[in-house]
Amino acid sequence: MDIVILAVVIAVVVLGALSGLIVGSRRKKPLPPPPPAAPDITAPPAEPHVGDEAETPREEPRRTIEEVDLPGGPAPVTVEEPPIVEAPPIEIPEPTAGRLIRLRARLSRSQNALGKGLLTLLSREHLDEDTWEEIEDTLLTADVGVQPTQELVERLRERVKVLGTRTPEELRGLLRQELITLVGPEMDRTVHTENAVGGPGVVMVVGVNGTGKTTTTGKLARVLVADGNTVVLGAADTFRAAAADQLQTWGERVGAHTVRGPEGGDPASVAFDAVKEGKEMAADAVLIDTAGRLHTKTGLMDELGKVKRVVEKQAPLDEVLLVLDATTGQNGLVQARVFAEVVDITGIVLTKLDGTAKGGIVIAVQRELGVPVKLIGLGEGADDLAPFESEAFVDALLGD
């Protein structure tokens, strides 16, 4: 009996083991494919260690440090020096003494209109009323003005009547005397550049657009330099394009320093700085070029008055020169009246007197403002601005 039981137990154990083997084989998963074989890599030769025998050195050509090419770096930066701008050579202006006499030929057109015309009329055999009316017309056409014309004709009629004979030489001498008297030889025509307080003389140049104001300021600097003065220029015309450049060019030609400000800046500020620098530099004269302004613009004229007031905070104004275009004739007198109301005009500069202008404008503008013509422009040349001389001017009008 025991043997039977033992046999049964063994059989059960065998069956159980077989069952486990079958189930395990069913659940077993397939293994993943083996990875691809790695490429053969030849290892670098091992470095020799301490104690290893080194290879016998071989002789190789050697180069010195001078023969070795260094690695290329960034290209060297070449610093270019700014070009040296050479200052223009300083010119020596012509002396002003007798300059008007040298330029008398420039008044040839005015001679025909006034001097020679009067001499022709006065040389007639009979001086009746029609002739005297022609003389008046000649004077009026030459821009002498109504009141001065009446005075001149009245004196001529009286002296011709007393003189009796009228040779060409006598007539020319008579007319010369009367014209000199009318021009006003007693007037002070000096451009004052000596300040009463010991500083530089301050000259302000005013005028309407197109009269040649900036050019006149530059030429006036040449006149003053020719007379031995040092000059500072103030470019207070900040509204016209290139006005400051133009004035600076004029100054550089004669060694005058130019004070300027930004384009469109405050003109009064530039004028103030110019006078200040003129005092610091101990200059003899400061010339201030103002903006050319239309005399019909009230605001612009008020601004001109502001420039004058600001300048006077630094130093008193010694001269206010009004530049007039002589070819405008009686229209220039209208401009002169308005400017005289804003600033105290002390002198007149007549430009373009070498063209179609009539010489009589000199007499008319002096009579209108009560101030002398101090300078006249007789051409486009740098030294064609001449101090006015009464006798030389009349002689030029009458011709030889």
Side-chain angles (χ1 to χ4, degrees):
M1 188 66 179
D2 294 332
I3 297 171
V4 173
I5 294 171
L6 180 61
V8 171
V9 171
I10 293 170
V12 172
V13 171
V14 171
L15 290 173
L18 293 173
S19 299
L21 292 172
I22 294 171
V23 174
S25 62
R26 291 178 179 177
R27 293 180 179 178
K28 190 175 181 180
K29 297 182 180 179
L31 296 174
D40 296 335
I41 300 176
T42 303
E47 297 181 357
H49 298 280
V50 178
D52 294 344
E53 293 184 359
E55 183 182 359
T56 303
R58 293 172 295 179
E59 293 185 359
E60 295 181 355
R62 299 177 181 272
R63 294 178 295 172
T64 63
I65 190 171
E66 290 81 4
E67 298 174 343
V68 177
D69 294 332
L70 298 177
V77 178
T78 304
V79 179
E80 296 183 0
E81 297 182 0
I84 300 176
V85 180
E86 296 183 0
I90 297 179
E91 302 176 6
I92 301 177
E94 295 181 9
T96 58
R99 184 179 290 186
L100 182 57
I101 297 176
R102 297 195 302 271
L103 298 174
R104 61 183 299 175
R106 306 287 178 84
L107 291 169
S108 58
R109 296 188 182 182
S110 295
Q111 293 173 20
N112 296 331
L114 181 57
K116 291 184 178 180
L118 290 177
L119 285 174
T120 301
L121 291 173
L122 289 172
S123 298
R124 289 181 179 178
E125 185 176 355
H126 299 288
L127 295 179
D128 53 15
E129 290 298 324
D130 292 338
T131 303
W132 287 112
E133 288 183 5
E134 289 186 49
I135 293 174
E136 288 187 2
D137 292 341
T138 301
L139 291 168
L140 292 174
T141 304
D143 293 329
V144 173
V146 176
Q147 186 65 30
T149 294
Q150 293 177 348
E151 294 177 8
L152 180 58
V153 170
E154 193 65 31
R155 290 201 299 268
L156 283 174
R157 294 185 71 163
E158 182 177 351
R159 295 194 63 179
V160 168
K161 183 178 181 180
V162 172
L163 184 62
T165 59
R166 300 189 308 276
T167 64
E169 292 77 12
E170 291 174 334
L171 288 175
R172 189 183 186 283
L174 175 63
L175 185 57
R176 181 180 184 274
Q177 292 175 9
E178 294 299 332
L179 286 175
I180 290 176
T181 302
L182 204 58
V183 168
E186 75 285 350
M187 288 185 169
D188 181 12
R189 304 183 188 277
T190 305
V191 178
H192 296 282
T193 56
E194 295 181 1
N195 195 293
V197 296
V202 182
V203 180
M204 189 164 71
V205 184
V206 302
V208 178
N209 293 319
T211 57
K213 194 166 36 53
T214 300
T215 300
T216 298
T217 305
K219 291 182 178 181
L220 177 57
R222 296 180 65 90
V223 169
L224 295 177
V225 170
D227 290 339
N229 297 290
T230 56
V231 179
V232 171
L233 299 174
D237 185 354
T238 59
F239 299 109
R240 184 170 66 86
D245 293 337
Q246 181 184 358
L247 187 64
Q248 183 169 351
T249 300
W250 277 103
E252 289 174 348
R253 294 171 66 179
V254 291
H257 175 62
T258 302
V259 178
R260 53 188 298 176
E263 186 173 340
D266 183 13
S269 176
V270 177
F272 182 89
D273 292 340
V275 178
K276 181 179 179 182
E277 291 195 27
K279 293 171 66 177
E280 294 173 352
M281 296 172 62
D284 295 316
V286 177
L287 306 182
I288 301 173
D289 176 34
T290 59
R293 53 200 78 242
L294 297 175
H295 64 282
T296 56
K297 301 293 185 180
T298 304
L300 293 177
M301 296 302 291
D302 292 341
E303 182 184 325
L304 180 60
K306 173 188 173 184
V307 173
K308 179 178 180 293
R309 293 191 300 271
V310 170
V311 167
E312 289 177 333
K313 292 181 180 180
Q314 274 286 348
L317 273 172
D318 297 278
E319 290 278 3
V320 179
L321 299 178
L322 174 62
V323 180
L324 293 177
D325 184 343
T327 61
T328 60
Q330 296 296 315
N331 290 331
L333 299 182
V334 178
Q335 301 170 8
R337 294 189 196 103
V338 178
F339 276 96
E341 294 174 359
V342 179
V343 290
D344 297 325
I345 304 297
T346 60
I348 306 296
V349 182
L350 283 175
T351 62
K352 307 176 186 178
L353 200 57
D354 59 318
T356 58
K358 285 78 172 183
I361 188 64
V362 172
I363 300 170
V365 71
Q366 289 185 156
R367 183 66 63 91
E368 179 67 31
L369 297 182
V371 296
V373 172
K374 295 192 172 185
L375 298 161
I376 56 175
L378 295 169
E380 299 296 328
D383 293 321
D384 289 346
L385 185 70
F388 186 82
E389 302 168 16
S390 301
E391 294 186 6
F393 177 74
V394 171
D395 288 338
L397 290 181
L398 295 177
D400 297 329

